Amino acid sequence: MRIFRSMDASASGLTAERLRLDIIAGNLANANTTRTAEGGPYRRKVPVFVQGVGNGFRSFFQVFSKSLDEAQGVQVGAVVSDDRPGKMKYEPGHPDADQNGYVAMPNVDVVTEMVDMISATRGYEANVSAINAAKQMAMRALEIGRS
């Protein structure tokens, strides 16, 4: 049933956007982290979305329908570090300051993260709307079958 494929694709979108929001939250939380386990300041993380087969509702509905085709959804293929350099901030009393008094700050821009967060939220809402529309269509089809 094709309606399940659309729900499956939307479910994969929900999962991808939720992970994107998690990554943005991590970037914002580390916006002032100057020391990491790898050494140096925190580097901004960015998810890379790739086309993939959905797995949200698929396993559930596969029980009821063996004819499900491969749904084309989205998934996070990788989480990469942004290689743009961070800002140097003059703060001579900071423990991570160099001999000239400059501290290497993370390359996280709060405004960029907020814009990305709004975009991820809108994507999440769009996928919820698509699932609700598919659910309403399925309910209407069942009502037609009753009459």
Side-chain angles (χ1 to χ4, degrees), residues 2-124:
R2 294 194 184 274
I3 199 159
F4 294 140
R5 282 197 299 174
S6 67
M7 293 175 83
D8 191 36
S10 295
S12 70
L14 290 174
T15 302
E17 295 296 345
R18 182 189 51 79
L19 180 59
R20 183 176 172 201
L21 281 172
D22 289 345
I23 292 169
I24 291 169
N27 288 340
L28 288 171
N30 288 294
N32 292 314
T33 302
T34 58
R35 190 181 308 170
T36 61
E38 297 85 27
Y42 176 80
R43 310 299 280 164
R44 178 177 182 250
K45 305 281 189 282
V46 180
V48 177
F49 288 175
V50 295
Q51 183 180 14
V53 293
N55 57 7
F57 291 119
R58 181 174 177 75
S59 60
F60 177 74
F61 289 119
Q62 219 169 15
V63 173
F64 301 109
S65 175
K66 296 288 183 192
S67 64
L68 281 176
D69 297 327
E70 292 295 318
Q72 297 295 316
V74 64
Q75 63 187 25
V76 176
V79 178
V80 297
S81 293
D82 188 350
D83 290 333
R84 289 182 297 168
K87 294 179 181 174
M88 297 298 287
K89 184 177 180 183
Y90 183 70
E91 199 170 325
H94 196 281
D96 292 328
D98 61 8
Q99 63 271 15
N100 296 325
Y102 284 95
V103 179
M105 299 300 289
N107 59 353
V108 176
D109 180 28
V110 175
V111 174
T112 301
E113 298 302 321
M114 295 302 287
V115 170
D116 285 350
M117 185 176 0
I118 291 170
S119 173
T121 303
R122 296 288 184 252
Y124 194 90

Side-chain angles (χ1 to χ4, degrees), residues 132-146:
N132 284 335
K135 186 174 78 177
Q136 285 178 348
M137 288 189 325
M139 295 303 290
R140 299 284 168 129
L142 289 174
E143 288 176 11
I144 290 172
R146 281 191 213 156

